[in-house]
Amino acid sequence: MRVFIAGIDGYLGWTLAQALTARGHEVGGADGYFRRKWVDEMGSWSAIPIVSMKERLEAFRERYGKRLPFWEGDLRSYPFVEQALREFRPDAVVHLGECPSAPYSAIDVEHAVFVQTNNLTTTFHLLFAMKAIAPEAHLVKLGTMGEYGTPNLDIPEGFFEVEYRGRKDRLPFPRQAGSWYHWSKVHGSNNVMFASKLWDLAATDIMQGIVFGTHPAEMGDDPRLATRLDFDQAFGTIVNRFCCQAVIGHPLTLYGSGTQQRGFLPLQDSMQCLALAVENPPKRGEYRVLNQFQQVYRLDDWAGKVAKAADAFGLKTEIRHLDNPRKEQEEHHYRPDHDELTRLGYRPSGDMDAELRTMLARLLPHAERIRGKSEALLPDIRWTGDRSRVSYRLP
Ligand code: USQ
């Protein structure tokens, strides 16, 4: 299949380009390097060094024996998006070109508005360009498990049967997001659902849990092909942050009680699931929702797992509970379904502790790089909008 990846320079995008190519697909993509700029704005950089797109593309050609068509530009420009799709003629479009950070959207009014307008605009542009250029192509849009929030009910995959005043219907499950960013994904989901109805578009909306891990082993060890791994308070997700903290002897920053529950999956499982979604499109006019995670864990489980994995490297790790900078439920029910991807063939890669050890081994050579930006590990973005750093001494 010809697969166009919007946001191909990011953590997931650059890995997916290689995972799909290795499965025999023709991949192309676009990026405006926003992720690099946002992380720089947060005073940080990727723990794993990444090279320029020019060098990435050269290394890609050497390893996979083919060119990766790439369009550099801003997905907020409709002519740019339409031209890229016209030139590439995709069978599937994977939308990873959004700003993925809840804390970034909580900084102030500019950042909240930026995240929502960026995420809605890029989705709109892809939808309209697909309608114009590739109406039979399949849109795979990356959403988030965070769209559902933490209701006191089991969470189905997108839709549920409701009986109200003697009548029944199959309706979208209520979305109760917990940040301006997560709400941007809800609004995007609504637009994709409506567009698929309006234009007979085949669409898959992926409710993905929290991804962690460095690039999968099959990608080889050419450092030019490595994907980024962030650890700053806005673009680093919890497990990646904990591993970076562990390698420099920084306390693991557990927000609040640590009893919050979320769905998690390793990067290689995310790749497997996205590939399965691409390879098994729904029929035209269908808006399909897939909950994508390997298993639900409590956050303090991860702190314990990372501390244990770090111990195997002789690293002593302290787990520090910080005042929660976010507004979120800490004690809650959490039982989301995740059967559809299993039905499509998803087989979890398994041992999470082994995954953590691989990650720590890959990060250890970059400890000085992380230490050089360790200020970026401390959260000072609060959901209330005040910006004050959680105080505790750096080691
Ligand atoms: N947390 C900590 N310590 C940290 C960082 C985070 O305890 O140092 C806690 C947060 O309070 C939260 C949980 O860990 O309860 C997850 O936070 P996160 O920053 O790892 O992830 P989140 O903001 O939820 O967003 C991330 C991705 C987003 C994706 C989402 C999936 O950035 O793109 O949509 O995970 S989910 O969380 O299931 O909605």
Side-chain angles (χ1 to χ4, degrees), residues 100 144-146 181-182 210 237-238 241 253 255 299 326 328:
T144 159
M145 281 301 294
Y181 153 70
H182 287 96
I210 301 169
T237 46
I238 182 166
R241 277 166 57 75
T253 53
Y255 299 166
L299 305 186
R326 307 184 178 198
E328 60 185 0

Side-chain angles (χ1 to χ4, degrees), residues 115-169:
V115 170
Q116 290 221 353
T117 51
N118 178 75
N119 293 357
L120 286 175
T121 309
T122 57
T123 304
F124 262 132
H125 286 171
L126 287 167
L127 286 168
F128 274 82
M130 285 177 71
K131 170 182 178 273
I133 308 291
E136 295 189 358
H138 168 209
L139 175 67
V140 177
K141 154 105 163 67
L142 189 70
T144 159
M145 281 301 294
E147 293 184 36
Y148 299 119
T150 50
N152 197 26
L153 292 176
D154 292 0
I155 299 172
E157 303 203 47
F159 292 85
F160 71 152
E161 291 280 334
V162 195
E163 189 173 342
Y164 180 64
R165 293 187 179 162
R167 301 183 68 82
K168 282 192 190 156
D169 204 349

Side-chain angles (χ1 to χ4, degrees), residues 25-103:
H25 300 292
E26 296 297 320
V27 176
D31 210 294
Y33 312 130
F34 284 87
R35 175 63 168 264
R36 296 180 189 231
K37 293 170 199 156
W38 297 325
V39 173
D40 184 59
E41 181 190 340
M42 297 316 298
S44 191
W45 55 16
S46 168
I48 309 254
I50 54 166
V51 296
S52 67
M53 183 48 92
K54 189 168 172 286
E55 291 167 274
R56 282 185 154 183
L57 294 175
E58 277 163 20
F60 183 95
R61 201 206 304 238
E62 284 169 29
R63 180 168 170 88
Y64 299 99
K66 55 176 135 175
R67 206 177 65 83
L68 187 152
F70 174 69
W71 287 263
E72 179 184 335
D74 188 342
L75 300 166
R76 290 174 303 168
S77 156
Y78 181 71
F80 169 73
V81 175
E82 201 187 281
Q83 189 188 346
L85 291 201
R86 180 175 294 117
E87 289 171 6
F88 185 71
R89 292 176 294 103
D91 300 312
V93 173
V94 183
H95 185 14
L96 306 175
E98 297 184 65
C99 178
S101 170

